[in-house]
Amino acid sequence: MKRINCSPRPGWQQFAQSVGFNFHTFDGEPYWDETAYYQFRLQQIEQDLEQPTEDLHQMALAVVDDVVQSEQLLQQLAIPEAYWQAVRDSWHSAQPHLYGRMDFSYDGTGPAKLLELNYDTPTSLFETGFFQWVWLEDQLMRGEIPQHADQFNSLQDKLQQAFAELALPQPFYFSSVADSIEDKGTVDYLMDIALQSGLDARYIAIEQLGEADGQLVDLDGYAIEGLFKLYPWEFMLQEDFASTIISSKTQWLEPLWKSIISNKGILPLLWQKFPNHPNLLPAMFEQGQALKPGWVKKPLFSREGANIELITPQGKTVKETGPYDDSGYILQALQPLPKFVDSYSLIGSWVVGDSAAGICIREDNSLITKDSSRFLPHIILD
Amino acid sequence: MSREFKRSKTARLIMMVPAAGLMLTGCGEEPVEVQVYNTPDECAAYYNPPAQCQAAFAEAKALHPKVAPRYSNKRECETDFGAGQCEAAPVIANVENNATQSEPQAQSQQSSGFFMPMMMGFMAGQMLNRGGLAGQAPQTASKNASPVASQPLYKSRDDRQTFRTASNTPVASQPGPARVKPSAVKPKPAVKARRGGFGAQAARRTSSSFGG
């Protein structure tokens, strides 16, 4: 695994705008960064990332099966009691899931270590599945990259196949928070792929969803029978329409049982069930103990690195503030991200259905990866 | 290398690229055949199995209080549908009421204070098996599944010939088979939807994204 400097494609910003990638620059700082790329060997991809991703996915599903059978665990994950039965039902009726992303600390050697699972509302999907893919094709065409280079990125193929095979109700609605450009970009990409799979895909902002007689309805008052929501389950369970999660005849993507895997509490539960697994880090629920050097503290519910605090083995505290300060916490052994040149890099590994589907790389100047962390493309070359 | 490429074969966009200019919805919807009658007896007289006529009528009648247009007083309703053509609209029990109410019958009789037109006919969404047509094999359940729901029909004061859906879409001017576009006759709840019940947590927290 190497980081290689590379000349950006001339005019790539205009191309980005033309395909709806409106958040390639974030607060004046580059978000999409093609001044360099990461290079992997095929063996690193297949043995160290692809296979562990599929193994960890199955392990996480096994933990879900434990959690739905235990009131104590549902309690520990702070899932409101009123929804326990609905969570169980969604699992036992095998409500299908679409996608997720797990984040690894990996430097090219040794086992990749799982930092967390983003299994409810993962973003950076368009950047991975489309923009990174086009970047490679363009750079191959320009001769900037050796002709036999490849990329671990079957995301769009696998999403298209999933939409074709899931037998979703139609029309199928996609929703996100109205004024989040980034979230809308992710949802637009999913809708685009769904349309290509022949689905009647329609958009509705999460704030515009209607409720009539317990049924979720669209803007014209028609029942919504299928809904993809880029909106966290733990938010929905606290809001005015929460009871519709039980009463509405709506098939959800992601299904409600994903609220167990997207919860950081899955990390201590994985460690309890599979102690000393090479891809796992020691983790426990926080019960008032002080954060020690070499450990990280994460809220049960948080996103984009928010509200995470860590102490390096040398005793230096790194802390990220944020809006997720109202849930419990877990502690996880610190596996510092590898440093290439002067940036720390994190590997996101995608899962579609139950298959590994590619990777994305994020870089930051800090040990905590955030939504503003730069996205860099990668290649496979032997 | 034994494996094939590890990247997608193609990655194209159709919606996110405005230049592609594809028509995505609406056009090209095929009309489907339905049947329209004043009464179940009239339906049976058109060589349809009486049991199927009754079933379609019952479905339409059950839908009637849920989809019929609602008026705040009888006069406004009669302005649109004619004198003596309106009735009191029942309360549409919501989900909680259904679960807790010990006498659901009493609940559905209760008036909401609103008025609605009387049901003047019905549309059978399923293709009825015509008893009078010899040699036609019985259709299977899956073949029978229609994209159109059986539903109540109404007639306005100034046009007593035309059968209209609850959302005022004209569908036929005489009993018998008719052709309709499924999306134009999709029943829509008369109850006004509440909005804004999701999204409050996002509004409370400052973040550019609620994914991760």
Side-chain angles (χ1 to χ4, degrees):
Chain A
M1 179 178 175
K2 288 187 277 196
R3 187 184 193 278
I4 297 170
N5 288 324
C6 175
S7 67
R9 295 163 292 168
W12 69 263
Q13 289 92 343
Q14 284 76 13
F15 170 68
Q17 298 284 2
S18 77
V19 293
F21 187 14
N22 299 318
F23 48 101
H24 61 76
T25 302
F26 191 93
D27 283 346
E29 298 291 321
Y31 163 60
W32 171 265
D33 181 358
E34 57 179 79
T35 60
Y37 60 84
Y38 284 81
Q39 178 177 317
F40 295 82
R41 301 176 62 83
L42 183 61
Q43 192 183 19
Q44 290 173 321
I45 293 291
E46 291 187 335
Q47 285 182 15
D48 293 350
L49 295 170
E50 184 176 27
Q51 190 59 48
T53 295
E54 296 197 347
D55 294 346
L56 289 164
H57 176 74
Q58 291 302 327
M59 288 157 62
L61 296 182
V63 171
V64 174
D65 204 46
D66 294 345
V67 173
V68 296
Q69 292 174 48
S70 160
E71 297 194 347
Q72 187 239 324
L73 292 178
L74 286 162
Q75 186 109 50
Q76 205 159 21
L77 296 184
I79 293 171
E81 189 172 347
Y83 299 94
W84 288 358
Q85 193 54 44
V87 172
R88 290 186 192 111
D89 290 348
S90 83
W91 175 249
H92 288 132
S93 62
Q95 286 296 305
H97 54 292
L98 180 65
Y99 79 133
R101 193 191 74 235
M102 44 186 86
D103 289 339
F104 288 120
S105 175
Y106 176 67
D107 65 0
T109 57
K113 297 288 187 184
L114 177 70
L115 302 180
E116 58 188 61
L117 294 153
N118 297 284
Y119 260 49
D120 182 18
T121 60
T123 50
S124 67
L125 187 74
F126 171 82
E127 302 90 295
T128 306
F130 181 77
F131 211 74
Q132 171 178 241
W133 188 93
V134 174
W135 167 85
L136 177 61
E137 296 293 326
D138 284 352
Q139 294 295 44
L140 288 172
M141 202 164 60
R142 297 177 68 229
E144 283 283 323
I145 284 173
Q147 287 305 304
H148 56 291
D150 194 5
Q151 192 173 72
F152 181 30
N153 183 11
S154 53
L155 199 50
Q156 185 159 340
D157 273 359
K158 291 206 166 91
L159 286 169
Q160 191 157 346
Q161 191 184 351
F163 279 123
E165 290 171 359
L166 281 177
L168 298 168
Q170 301 204 48
F172 194 85
Y173 289 81
F174 290 79
S175 67
S176 65
V177 171
D179 57 9
S180 168
I181 298 173
E182 187 184 339
D183 292 358
K184 182 67 166 44
T186 298
V187 165
D188 280 346
Y189 181 52
L190 279 169
M191 284 178 67
D192 200 304
I193 299 171
L195 284 163
Q196 294 184 47
S197 303
L199 211 65
D200 178 359
R202 301 183 191 180
Y203 181 78
I204 184 166
I206 199 93
E207 297 88 346
Q208 291 181 321
L209 287 167
E211 181 268 347
D213 287 343
Q215 172 67 46
L216 284 180
V217 296
D218 69 9
L219 285 174
D220 293 323
Y222 291 122
I224 291 182
E225 289 167 18
L227 181 68
F228 172 93
K229 39 120 222 115
L230 195 71
Y231 196 65
W233 273 120
E234 70 268 17
F235 286 5
M236 296 178 71
L237 295 178
Q238 295 178 49
E239 296 186 343
D240 279 357
F241 284 0
S243 64
T244 63
I245 291 160
I246 295 169
S247 60
S248 186
K249 291 185 177 62
T250 303
Q251 180 179 342
W252 303 91
L253 280 181
E254 297 297 315
L256 185 52
W257 58 262
K258 281 285 193 97
S259 61
I260 295 172
I261 308 189
S262 63
N263 190 305
K264 300 286 188 300
I266 189 93
L267 298 167
L269 298 180
L270 275 166
W271 183 251
Q272 283 167 27
K273 193 172 174 71
F274 305 98
N276 302 312
H277 187 284
N279 296 113
L280 293 178
L281 292 165
M284 63 186 90
F285 286 95
E286 191 232 36
Q287 285 157 325
Q289 64 272 56
L291 185 60
K292 291 182 295 192
W295 286 79
V296 193
K297 181 177 161 187
K298 300 177 174 180
L300 289 182
F301 306 118
S302 95
R303 285 169 167 74
E304 313 272 23
N307 302 90
I308 285 176
E309 180 177 356
L310 64 85
I311 305 181
T312 65
Q314 296 74 34
K316 189 182 165 223
T317 298
V318 183
K319 194 173 176 177
E320 201 56 46
T321 58
Y324 298 94
D325 54 0
D326 49 0
S327 69
Y329 292 87
I330 63 122
L331 303 174
Q332 186 185 44
L334 177 68
Q335 173 78 21
L337 294 172
K339 205 169 184 182
F340 290 83
V341 194
D342 51 3
S343 297
Y344 297 98
S345 56
L346 171 94
I347 297 184
S349 182
W350 293 92
V351 175
V352 175
D354 299 320
S355 306
I359 58 168
C360 56
I361 297 163
R362 303 290 295 275
E363 268 191 359
D364 205 286
N365 304 332
S366 149
L367 275 170
I368 299 174
T369 307
K370 297 176 279 293
D371 59 350
S372 56
S373 303
R374 298 176 299 277
F375 187 115
L376 276 81
H378 79 277
I379 67 168
I380 306 171
L381 192 66
D382 274 319
Chain B
M1 256 194 311
S2 58
R3 298 281 301 258
E4 292 187 357
F5 283 121
K6 299 196 80 70
R7 67 182 191 273
S8 297
K9 283 184 205 66
T10 60
R12 66 190 183 110
L13 300 174
I14 56 171
M15 181 191 76
M16 297 181 80
V17 187
L22 271 162
M23 295 298 286
L24 298 171
T25 53
C27 74
E29 186 186 2
E30 289 294 320
V32 299
E33 189 174 300
V34 296
Q35 299 200 46
V36 170
Y37 299 104
N38 288 289
T39 63
D41 287 346
E42 183 181 61
C43 169
Y46 276 71
Y47 302 105
N48 292 303
Q52 289 196 23
C53 290
Q54 279 297 344
F57 177 76
E59 271 178 54
K61 195 158 174 61
L63 208 52
H64 164 58
K66 294 180 189 158
V67 300
R70 296 195 156 216
Y71 291 84
S72 53
N73 62 60
K74 196 170 185 177
R75 181 176 305 166
E76 279 181 31
C77 180
E78 289 187 341
T79 303
D80 284 354
F81 292 92
Q85 303 297 316
C86 290
E87 60 190 0
V91 168
I92 300 177
N94 62 30
V95 172
E96 283 97 318
N97 281 348
N98 267 343
T100 56
Q101 193 81 21
S102 55
E103 290 168 283
Q105 287 306 105
Q107 172 76 14
S108 65
Q109 297 302 319
Q110 196 184 321
S111 169
S112 62
F114 287 92
F115 286 84
M116 61 182 186
M118 290 173 182
M119 175 171 152
M120 300 303 288
F122 68 104
M123 177 193 292
Q126 313 278 92
M127 280 292 285
L128 299 164
N129 289 326
R130 303 249 190 136
L133 300 179
Q136 197 172 34
Q139 288 172 308
T140 64
S142 67
K143 267 191 173 169
N144 253 346
S146 165
V148 174
S150 292
Q151 58 190 284
L153 296 173
Y154 305 89
K155 289 176 183 173
S156 68
R157 183 175 63 92
D158 53 6
D159 180 6
R160 303 302 296 169
Q161 287 305 309
T162 305
F163 290 97
R164 295 168 186 273
T165 67
S167 46
N168 202 23
T169 302
V171 288
S173 52
Q174 58 188 29
R179 291 176 73 76
V180 298
K181 289 195 172 182
S183 66
V185 297
K186 200 171 167 185
K188 174 164 137 179
V191 178
K192 203 168 159 47
R194 295 192 300 133
R195 304 270 167 197
F198 282 132
Q201 291 287 323
R204 267 185 41 206
R205 302 168 196 248
T206 318
S207 177
S208 66
S209 164
F210 297 92

